[in-house]
Amino acid sequence: MFFAVFIPIVFGVLGLLLGSFANVIIYRGSNDIPLLEKARSFCPSCGHELKWYDNIPLFSYLLLQGKCRYCKKPISIRYPLVELTGLIIFLGSYFLYAYAYDGPFGYHYLNEPLAILDSLIASFALLFFFAGAYIDRKTQTIPTYLLIILSLLFVARFIGVMAIDYRYWPLHLISFGLAVILFLGSYLLTTFVLKKEALGLADVILALALGLGYDCFSFLAFLIVSTVLASILEIIKLRKQSKAPFAFLPYLFAGYLFIVWGFPLIRDFLIGGLGL
């Protein structure tokens, strides 16, 4: 009973704290400010360094009534919303992998190695993926440190899965091969043959790491969701004659969200709920 209460609290607090850190990443990444240029957070309006009590996720925004303590200018609603997103991501990942169906062997609490691994990887990766998608949508660039963090998380999942049960390696190898053919192949073809870049190199590297970290069934689901969604929305933009630049990372984020949240819930419904 203690762990059933304590662990969700830990996930929730981590989500809020890292949601606050995601705000720093989003602001600095969107405005081409190095992440470590200023050690402390500062007000975007007046530049005043913020005290620790001005940075308590969600609560500081409410206590300050959405205004800077020093210049009294409004604080963007994005800040509490991103912090709330961090909370939702971490708690959602915990409850999904603690109580939802995960594979063909039944229900469990968060006490199986693969469930623990997936809940942690999904929590961190979703939040950093979200921050990267936001920046990419705004600037069409992805900070290198975000690319490294996400790639390392997916590689860590591969290593963790192999340590838990090395028999999964053929499914991951197939997945990685698909990523090489589809993403790296597309990048090389369009860049060197057609003389135009259909995908950014950062998108390709991220897809390769994700292909290594997840089995071929999950990767195919990720591929279908991200490409179909991108095709539909980009066609809509063309019909509206929108000149907004193409950012692919938000669609990759949608595909990843599907495989770490949607895919297990669908399997739960089909195998657990319907008894298939």
Side-chain angles (χ1 to χ4, degrees):
M1 182 63 184
F2 172 76
F3 288 104
V5 175
F6 177 71
I7 296 179
I9 291 176
V10 172
F11 269 74
V13 171
L14 271 176
L16 284 173
L17 293 175
L18 288 172
S20 182
F21 180 59
N23 270 319
V24 176
I25 292 174
I26 288 172
Y27 177 78
R28 299 190 182 196
S30 299
N31 293 280
D32 199 26
I33 301 174
L35 184 63
L36 301 178
E37 183 174 281
K38 288 187 177 182
R40 298 181 64 89
S41 297
F42 56 90
C43 172
S45 298
C46 65
H48 196 289
E49 285 193 351
L50 304 179
K51 304 295 184 182
W52 67 267
Y53 45 77
D54 297 323
N55 267 327
I56 303 173
L58 290 182
F59 296 104
S60 290
Y61 183 87
L62 295 174
L63 290 173
L64 293 171
Q65 298 180 331
K67 295 179 182 179
C68 173
R69 182 188 300 275
Y70 308 99
C71 66
K72 306 304 180 184
K73 290 187 178 180
I75 301 171
S76 172
I77 190 64
R78 170 177 64 80
Y79 290 92
L81 288 179
V82 171
E83 290 164 354
L84 185 61
T85 299
L87 175 67
I88 293 171
I89 284 174
F90 270 73
L91 282 182
S93 296
Y94 167 76
F95 283 110
L96 176 65
Y97 290 102
Y99 299 104
Y101 185 81
D102 184 31
F105 304 110
Y107 292 84
H108 55 76
Y109 291 94
L110 195 58
N111 57 6
E112 293 189 1
L114 188 56
I116 296 171
L117 176 69
D118 272 338
S119 65
L120 291 172
I121 295 293
S123 296
F124 283 92
L126 276 174
L127 186 57
F128 288 121
F129 225 136
F130 171 78
Y134 189 102
I135 296 170
D136 189 34
R137 179 66 178 170
K138 189 173 181 179
T139 67
Q140 287 69 60
T141 59
I142 306 170
T144 303
Y145 56 84
L146 269 184
L147 180 65
I148 293 173
I149 290 172
L150 286 169
S151 298
L152 288 176
L153 283 170
F154 298 143
V155 172
R157 186 184 188 274
F158 171 74
I159 295 173
V161 170
M162 293 305 103
I164 293 168
D165 192 340
Y166 68 90
R167 291 175 298 177
Y168 286 113
W169 75 264
L171 299 180
H172 288 257
L173 187 61
I174 294 171
S175 178
F176 183 71
L178 286 172
V180 170
I181 294 170
L182 296 174
F183 283 87
L184 184 59
S186 176
Y187 176 81
L188 295 175
L189 177 66
T190 56
T191 302
F192 298 106
V193 178
L194 303 180
K195 305 301 181 183
K196 63 179 182 179
E197 196 175 82
L199 289 174
L201 184 58
D203 297 321
V204 174
I205 293 172
L206 200 55
L208 292 176
L210 195 147
L212 181 66
Y214 289 85
D215 62 77
C216 54
F217 303 109
S218 296
F219 185 76
L220 282 174
F222 158 79
L223 185 65
I224 291 170
V225 170
S226 57
T227 54
V228 168
L229 190 59
S231 301
I232 292 173
L233 294 182
E234 292 303 316
I235 289 172
I236 292 173
K237 281 171 56 178
L238 288 174
R239 287 185 175 179
K240 292 182 177 179
Q241 297 183 334
S242 171
K243 295 183 180 179
F246 180 80
F248 195 47
L249 197 63
Y251 303 117
L252 295 183
F253 169 72
Y256 182 68
L257 179 64
F258 178 77
I259 65 171
V260 296
W261 278 17
F263 212 28
L265 290 175
I266 290 174
R267 288 187 304 181
D268 177 21
F269 177 72
L270 291 178
I271 302 177
L274 298 181
L276 297 180

